[in-house]
Amino acid sequence: MAPPKFMGLTGRPLSLAVTTVATTGFLLFGYDQGVMSGIITAPAFNDVFPETRDNPTMQGLVTAIYEIGCLAGAMFILGVGDLLGRRRAIMLGAFIMLLGVIIQVTSVAGTKTIAQIIAGRIVMGVGNGINTSTIPTYQAECSKTSNRGLLICIEGSTIAFGTLIAYWIDYGASYGPDDLVWRFPIAFQVIFAVLIIVPMTFLPESPRWLLSHQRIEDADNVIAAIRGYEIDSEETLQERNLILDSLRAAGGFGQKSTPLKALITGGRTQHLRRMLLGSSAQFFQQIGGCNAVIYYLPILFQRSVGEDPNMSLLLGGVNMIVYSIFATTSWFLIERVGRRRLFLIGSIGQCLSMVLTFACLIPDKPMVARGAAVGLFTYIAFFGATWLPLPWLYPAEVNPVKTRGKANAVSTCVNWTFNFLIVMVTPIMVDKIGWGTYLFFAAINACFIPVIYFFYPETARRSLEEIDIIFAKGHAENISYVKAAKELPHLQPTEIEEYALRYGLVDQTTSRGGGRDPRDEEEKPTVSGESANNSNEMIVNEHGGESGFGDGLNTSRKADEN
């Protein structure tokens, strides 16, 4: 029997189609992130929206209000994303972005245009917030362990390519008629939205979402199609059962929507800790200064380095080329170097780049100030290679299947909240404190390093189910989760169930396809690593042997008693 097909595709071609649509969503995200930088100070734009002329606060508001829409979109997914499903959410997000484009480009001078452009930016943001909350989850749940990191890194790094396209379209349009200067760059986003909506109509839903809604036959069909298996093959059955075990272990099987209180539980699943890890990555990405550089690079070159508007726009475009080139390096490093090391390398590089930038601005001499441009170039290079894709990958990996959709939405809410803050205050900071802006960002980046070193476990080359075991191991043995990740060997599919039993993630009844979740009674709203087992106690497993951590059902009973 041939494998099932979607869009006439199966196996690798179908996986490629899923990745292509996912990356198009982030290409649109990157484009919209960069498009305002080249037009917000353009005379043609200021003529239609006079409130933005020589007004850093209004320029910041028009640019940053988009992030408020993104936050609203992420909160929408937090509330109904589990009910809506990954596929329909992505289609809805792209359609809303299409509406936002139409609202913006139909602004006419002489009317209340500033209100219309702000409304359009908010609507556009709602759609993007929906997509950025959903796409990484969809990609992670449809990918193999061996290429999940690469595919989500490609997806995240296309943000840079979207921004690159936006910068150069802005630059090219600046030589055209007044309407072309700003209407065409905004309208160009329609192409990306259509390229998301049409293929997504025919692509499959996430198999993990289908299984969480007890649609087992549909999930088997999707697993077989994406992997290129026959629908009744042993490989299809094994992958489906591993996902089911993970769902039952987390108490997510048969739940149409995960309750919000599940996000603050501890125990072996460590839902709260894992949500905080993913959210902190998004928080660090934003307060590190990336959008101060991406959104306002031409303005920074004008006000901080002293270049004329045309040269500033040109330098911004060149910097985006650097950004895009270095964004591709993560494709080759993500599995070899790992998430932790890339986070650390990026933090150190961004910190030193900001030090170079503010040091060159202190003398207030034009020739010395040009050294600050080098600092901005190296900053965007380090950011593109590390902190650009990683905060989109890490939450999608580190959160368990039960809370992945909602926890990813929370981390995206954090992203857009602080994105708005940084984009809003950057023009004001540059205007009021000058080089102190870059000193602030240098200090912030330095603070990331100890947090990453002590709290971020490595997830490279791990299946999503193995990552569940890392946290169960850390909790059960009362050790650092970073240490648990280092100590846990890479597991074969047949070994995952054995380790899940060992650490009490599932009991023996559950592992055969039923039973209760052994953690339902023992999870507490805490992120501490306190073990449910006393480290001095030896637990007798069902075979009569002793071990330092329990096995199967006996572990569950011991945890429940404690």
Side-chain angles (χ1 to χ4, degrees):
M1 183 186 297
K5 295 182 178 181
F6 290 85
M7 289 180 62
L9 304 173
T10 189
R12 184 180 177 85
L14 179 58
S15 296
L16 183 61
V18 168
T19 302
T20 300
V21 175
T23 53
T24 303
F26 271 72
L27 194 69
L28 176 53
F29 167 27
Y31 185 93
D32 203 59
Q33 196 174 42
V35 71
M36 292 303 293
S37 64
I39 63 178
I40 192 69
T41 58
F45 183 83
N46 298 148
D47 288 342
V48 180
F49 308 100
E51 295 87 348
T52 62
R53 182 178 281 112
D54 300 323
N55 187 337
T57 302
M58 187 55 71
Q59 289 173 4
L61 177 63
V62 171
T63 305
I65 200 68
Y66 166 76
E67 274 72 42
I68 296 299
C70 292
L71 175 61
M75 292 179 70
F76 172 79
I77 290 299
L78 181 62
V80 302
D82 286 337
L83 294 172
L84 195 59
R86 320 303 191 214
R87 178 173 156 273
R88 284 182 291 182
I90 294 169
M91 293 171 64
L92 176 64
F95 180 74
I96 292 174
M97 293 185 84
L98 198 63
L99 293 179
V101 170
I102 294 170
I103 293 171
Q104 290 177 77
V105 298
T106 54
S107 299
V108 179
T111 61
K112 294 182 178 179
T113 51
I114 194 67
Q116 186 169 343
I117 193 74
I118 288 173
R121 293 282 292 166
I122 293 173
V123 172
M124 188 86 184
V126 170
N128 192 55
I130 291 172
N131 280 351
T132 53
S133 296
T134 309
I135 288 174
T137 302
Y138 179 67
Q139 180 74 80
E141 293 181 345
C142 291
S143 301
K144 293 181 179 179
T145 301
S146 58
N147 63 5
R148 183 186 65 244
L150 170 63
L151 294 179
I152 299 181
C153 266
I154 291 173
E155 172 189 301
S157 63
T158 54
I159 298 172
F161 288 94
T163 308
L164 171 67
I165 294 168
Y167 264 75
W168 285 105
I169 285 182
D170 282 353
Y171 184 73
S174 68
Y175 289 95
D178 285 355
D179 275 347
L180 186 74
V181 167
W182 68 273
R183 290 188 199 272
F184 178 75
I186 293 175
F188 191 78
Q189 296 168 98
V190 169
I191 295 173
F192 299 123
V194 171
L195 290 175
I196 295 169
I197 295 169
V198 175
M200 206 71 221
T201 307
F202 305 100
L203 287 174
E205 180 56 86
S206 154
R208 286 172 170 83
W209 183 85
L210 290 169
L211 286 172
S212 70
H213 285 66
Q214 296 181 297
R215 292 169 57 180
I216 294 176
E217 289 184 8
D218 290 339
D220 286 349
N221 201 45
V222 172
I223 290 169
I226 291 177
R227 304 290 182 255
Y229 303 149
E230 292 184 5
I231 195 166
D232 56 353
S233 69
E234 184 179 341
E235 292 89 347
T236 301
L237 181 64
Q238 184 180 67
E239 183 163 343
R240 181 242 285 169
N241 286 342
L242 282 174
I243 297 169
L244 282 174
D245 280 349
S246 179
L247 279 166
R248 291 187 178 108
F253 183 65
Q255 283 189 321
K256 299 298 183 184
S257 180
T258 301
L260 285 173
K261 67 179 182 180
L263 294 174
I264 58 170
T265 56
R268 290 179 176 85
T269 50
Q270 288 292 299
H271 290 169
L272 178 57
R273 176 183 293 273
R274 295 162 79 171
M275 180 186 71
L276 291 176
L277 285 171
S279 299
S280 67
Q282 294 280 22
F283 171 66
F284 291 160
Q285 184 196 61
Q286 293 307 314
I287 65 168
C290 63
N291 283 309
V293 178
I294 293 168
Y295 277 76
Y296 296 118
L297 199 61
I299 295 174
L300 297 179
F301 279 128
Q302 286 182 58
R303 295 179 183 171
S304 296
V305 184
E307 297 291 349
D308 63 74
N310 185 66
M311 180 56 71
S312 296
L313 197 57
L314 185 60
L315 285 173
V318 172
N319 204 10
M320 288 305 104
I321 294 175
V322 174
Y323 183 30
S324 301
I325 291 171
F326 277 88
T328 63
T329 61
S330 63
W331 305 358
F332 309 102
L333 299 176
I334 189 63
E335 298 299 347
R336 292 182 177 89
V337 177
R339 285 52 158 164
R340 272 170 54 83
R341 288 181 184 173
L342 281 183
F343 272 130
L344 291 169
I345 290 168
S347 299
I348 294 168
Q350 289 177 185
C351 175
L352 295 178
S353 297
M354 285 297 186
V355 168
L356 175 62
T357 301
F358 85 76
C360 290
L361 292 175
I362 291 174
D364 198 22
K365 296 179 181 178
M367 289 305 295
V368 178
R370 293 189 176 186
V374 177
L376 294 176
F377 272 68
T378 57
Y379 175 92
I380 210 69
F382 276 106
F383 175 77
T386 58
W387 277 97
L388 170 64
L390 286 173
W392 299 105
L393 167 62
Y394 204 65
E397 286 189 325
V398 80
N399 287 295
V401 64
K402 177 181 180 180
T403 62
R404 187 172 296 128
K406 278 189 164 54
N408 224 29
V410 169
S411 66
T412 308
C413 286
V414 171
N415 178 289
W416 293 118
T417 300
F418 288 93
N419 193 318
F420 171 78
L421 175 66
I422 295 301
V423 173
M424 188 69 198
V425 303
T426 293
I428 301 168
M429 289 175 70
V430 172
D431 186 52
K432 300 296 184 184
I433 63 176
W435 59 263
T437 305
Y438 309 99
L439 172 60
F440 169 79
F441 288 128
I444 289 293
N445 277 277
C447 293
F448 300 164
I449 299 169
V451 178
I452 294 162
Y453 185 82
F454 289 109
F455 295 104
Y456 278 44
E458 182 57 72
T459 56
R461 299 181 299 281
R462 299 284 191 183
S463 71
L464 298 176
E465 288 68 38
E466 278 182 278
I467 295 168
D468 291 341
I469 294 171
I470 288 172
F471 286 90
K473 175 181 172 67
H475 174 78
E477 299 181 10
N478 197 20
I479 61 174
S480 158
Y481 296 91
V482 173
K483 183 179 180 182
K486 289 179 180 178
E487 290 183 353
L488 185 72
H490 288 275
L491 306 177
Q492 297 300 317
T494 53
E495 297 174 307
I496 291 174
E497 184 175 348
E498 175 191 339
Y499 274 80
L501 286 166
R502 177 181 297 180
Y503 292 113
L505 277 174
V506 291
D507 60 27
Q508 286 211 334
T509 308
T510 299
S511 70
R512 295 188 186 104
R516 66 178 181 85
D517 172 14
R519 274 99 22 101
D520 283 346
E521 297 172 28
E522 61 101 19
E523 287 179 342
K524 302 291 189 294
T526 177
V527 297
S528 72
E530 292 180 4
S531 173
N533 302 316
N534 188 304
S535 59
N536 295 322
E537 290 182 300
M538 302 298 285
I539 300 171
V540 180
N541 64 28
E542 80 254 32
H543 303 296
E546 292 184 343
S547 61
F549 35 78
D551 208 81
L553 188 59
N554 286 341
T555 307
S556 305
R557 288 173 179 165
K558 185 72 177 178
D560 289 342
E561 289 167 7
N562 289 342

